[in-house]
Amino acid sequence: MTEERFVQLVRKEQEVLRRFLLALCGGRHEEAEDLAQDTLLKAWLACNEYEERYRFSTYLCKVAYRTYVDYLRRTAHRPLPLDETLPLPSPDCADSAFHHEALHNALACLPLKERTAVCMYYLEEQSIKEIAIATGSNTVAVKQRLKRGREHLRKILKDER
């Protein structure tokens, strides 16, 4: 893949990448942005692994997922309690992400594999097969993670009300 083609694909899919990482990071913007930069570097260095028959966003999510897992291992990072996941917005903050605070908090409570499946399927509209490829799983496992993730999210969001 040429550098020009890679840049073109990244421009098209960078919002998908950032949304996916933001959801994995429980709404923590700085962490998600740092991981996005790491992901893009790793994606470029390993771009020969990209298979044209799949969407580029699937490839980016695969690299992002691995980058996030490596980050968790490296930092022994654990999700923060719900009340500490996101900083309180400043009065003049117009960041639309705060409209999704409850969802980010709920997603942060899910186990990583469930959170990844839910984010890729519902937020990034990836197919079950694409999620399986990105996470190194099979389709049966992805379906089970989606089912459990939906059940857990339903319970978490219900309990918040």
Side-chain angles (χ1 to χ4, degrees):
M1 174 181 310
T2 66
E3 182 178 348
E4 182 179 312
R5 177 74 175 138
F6 181 80
V7 170
Q8 180 184 38
L9 291 169
V10 165
R11 282 190 180 130
K12 181 180 174 194
E13 302 295 346
Q14 67 183 337
E15 288 308 311
V16 168
L17 172 67
R18 283 175 166 59
R19 265 194 321 266
F20 177 60
L21 285 168
L22 185 63
L24 284 182
C25 293
R28 293 181 300 275
H29 291 276
E30 289 182 22
E31 187 176 325
E33 283 299 317
D34 288 346
L35 289 169
Q37 295 302 316
D38 289 348
T39 297
L40 290 173
L41 178 61
K42 289 177 181 181
W44 168 246
L45 293 174
C47 68
N48 61 328
E49 293 178 16
Y50 170 59
E51 296 179 42
E52 293 279 339
R53 63 187 169 137
Y54 299 113
R55 293 192 291 177
F56 188 71
S57 61
T58 302
Y59 170 69
L60 279 181
C61 286
K62 179 179 182 176
V63 176
Y65 174 75
R66 289 178 179 171
T67 301
Y68 184 72
V69 169
D70 289 346
Y71 168 75
L72 291 179
R73 286 185 187 132
R74 217 175 36 247
T75 62
H77 183 273
R78 300 289 177 249
L80 297 171
L82 284 178
D83 59 343
E84 297 177 22
T85 302
L86 290 174
L88 292 173
S90 63
D92 58 340
C93 182
D95 189 352
S96 64
F98 291 110
H99 295 294
H100 305 292
E101 182 176 358
L103 179 59
H104 283 298
N105 285 337
L107 285 169
C109 293
L110 295 179
L112 177 60
K113 290 180 180 183
E114 288 177 20
R115 183 176 356 141
T116 301
V118 167
C119 291
M120 289 183 75
Y121 189 78
Y122 290 104
L123 299 178
E124 304 311 328
E125 299 177 349
Q126 300 280 326
S127 71
I128 289 172
K129 184 179 178 181
E130 290 171 320
I131 298 167
I133 291 166
T135 60
S137 304
N138 62 51
T139 57
V140 174
V142 171
K143 289 177 184 177
Q144 188 64 35
R145 290 173 189 151
L146 283 169
K147 180 181 179 209
R148 288 182 186 153
R150 283 190 301 266
E151 291 169 358
H152 288 139
L153 276 176
R154 190 175 297 119
K155 183 181 182 327
I156 292 166
L157 293 170
K158 181 180 176 185
D159 290 347
E160 277 188 9
R161 291 180 183 184

